[in-house]
Structure formats: C-alpha cells, structure tokens
Amino acid sequence: MKVQPRARAAALAIALQLAFSAIALAPMRSVADESRPERYRSDFARFSVAFPGGSPVVRQLEGTKFTMTGNDVNYAEILDGVEYSVEIHDVPRFAKIMLTDHYILDQSVKGKLEDIGARSLDVVETSIQDEPAREVVFEALDRKFTGRMWLVLADRRLYLVGVLHPPSLDSQQVGARFFESFSFWLE
C-alpha cells in the first residue's frame, strides 16, 4: 500500500509536535517529582510511606516492654529535629484469638507510651484502611518532646506510625504528609 505524500507530511508533523511537547514538558515533570518525598516500600513489613528524607534506618527492636515477638522492626528517619518512624509488631496467634482488637490496641497504646516515657493528650478510636486503629497525641513526661502516632491492627500485624517533634511544633501539621502517605497490605 502506497502512502500519499500529504498523509506522510501530516503524520511527520504530528510526530514532531508530540516529540517537542514531550521534551518541553519533561523538565516540568521532574521538578514536580523532586518536591514530593520518595515512597519507601518494605515488602517484608508490608507497608509503604513517604519518608521526607528518602530512606529510613532499619533496626530490629529488642528488650522493650512493648516488644511482643522476635519480629519487631523499626524504620526511622530524623530530619530537622523531627523523627518519623514506622514500627511493626506481629501479635502472637494465640493472643489474636483470645483477646479483642480493642484490648490489643488499648494495651499497645499504654505500653508504647510507657516505653517512650510519655502520656496521652488525646486518644481517638478510629479505623485506617478499614482496620481498627487508635490515633494518639502525646507528650513526654519531662515535656521535652511531643508527637502523634497511629496504631493500626491489620490481622496479626500491629503498625505504629509516628512522628516525634519539639513541643513548639503543631502535632497535627508536623508529618501530615507522612501520615497521609502511609499504606499497608495484608499477606
């Protein structure tokens, strides 16, 4: 089949126009992407979140009053005096069978606050991604820091998503993007 010269010229003009448009828009896209934190994904922990600095320090948790199993991991990053973190704790199978979600979450709030030497200022019963959760605003007993955390019980996995910061900052505003970017998935 022979292509008409006019059709070939029109196709070439459209292709060139698309190529120039892509080149012109590419810098705008890359600038916009740089302003958003990169999402961190842990397939092992089954969550993703946008840490403001990019990549957290990952460490195994041991010896705290709050630790429930040998599979407790903390993903944390400190940026400009603010600590962003996600902890995972796997609830033992027998505990999940024998205890209510309400009890597990309430005891987890109490245990975590005790571990970090803080007291709750506000605890709200909520759900995140249709899983039972608590949102907690807290301050250190010595008032050197304050913060906000979510405790989410997704099947047998407990997620603690938190931000600790100086008391001069607003707990609802600090880390708002961090909390909004958090998501998890079940096995």
Side-chain angles (χ1 to χ4, degrees), residues 35-184:
S35 68
R36 291 186 1 221
E38 186 176 322
R39 281 187 83 78
Y40 176 83
R41 179 183 169 100
S42 171
D43 289 324
F44 163 75
R46 299 189 306 271
F47 78 90
S48 71
V49 70
F51 280 98
S55 185
V57 173
V58 181
R59 67 184 173 93
Q60 191 77 26
L61 297 174
E62 296 177 11
T64 65
K65 296 174 204 138
F66 184 73
T67 300
M68 292 189 278
T69 68
N71 192 28
D72 303 316
V73 182
N74 179 273
Y75 300 77
E77 175 181 81
I78 298 174
L79 186 66
D80 297 329
V82 177
E83 180 180 336
Y84 303 86
S85 68
V86 176
E87 284 184 25
I88 61 159
H89 300 271
D90 287 336
V91 177
R93 199 175 302 277
F94 72 90
K96 185 68 170 127
I97 292 169
M98 299 194 58
L99 304 172
T100 66
D101 292 348
H102 183 80
Y103 181 83
I104 292 170
L105 284 166
D106 288 346
Q107 290 304 307
S108 296
V109 168
K110 181 180 173 188
K112 184 62 180 177
L113 292 174
E114 188 177 315
D115 272 357
I116 62 175
R119 69 173 160 253
S120 67
L121 300 176
D122 190 24
V123 179
V124 176
E125 193 172 321
T126 187
S127 66
I128 296 172
Q129 289 181 219
D130 296 324
E131 299 294 340
R134 299 290 184 273
E135 181 173 356
V136 183
V137 176
F138 59 90
E139 71 178 0
L141 297 174
D142 60 8
R143 297 190 175 174
K144 289 186 178 179
F145 67 85
T146 188
R148 179 176 161 215
M149 69 179 159
W150 287 348
L151 290 90
V152 184
L153 186 57
D155 192 26
R156 288 185 37 241
R157 176 143 301 164
L158 180 66
Y159 292 96
L160 282 80
V161 182
V163 176
L164 284 105
H165 56 82
S168 59
L169 301 175
D170 181 356
S171 287
Q172 292 302 321
Q173 291 182 355
V174 173
R177 282 186 176 176
F178 180 71
F179 284 103
E180 289 169 8
S181 72
F182 176 74
S183 66
F184 61 89

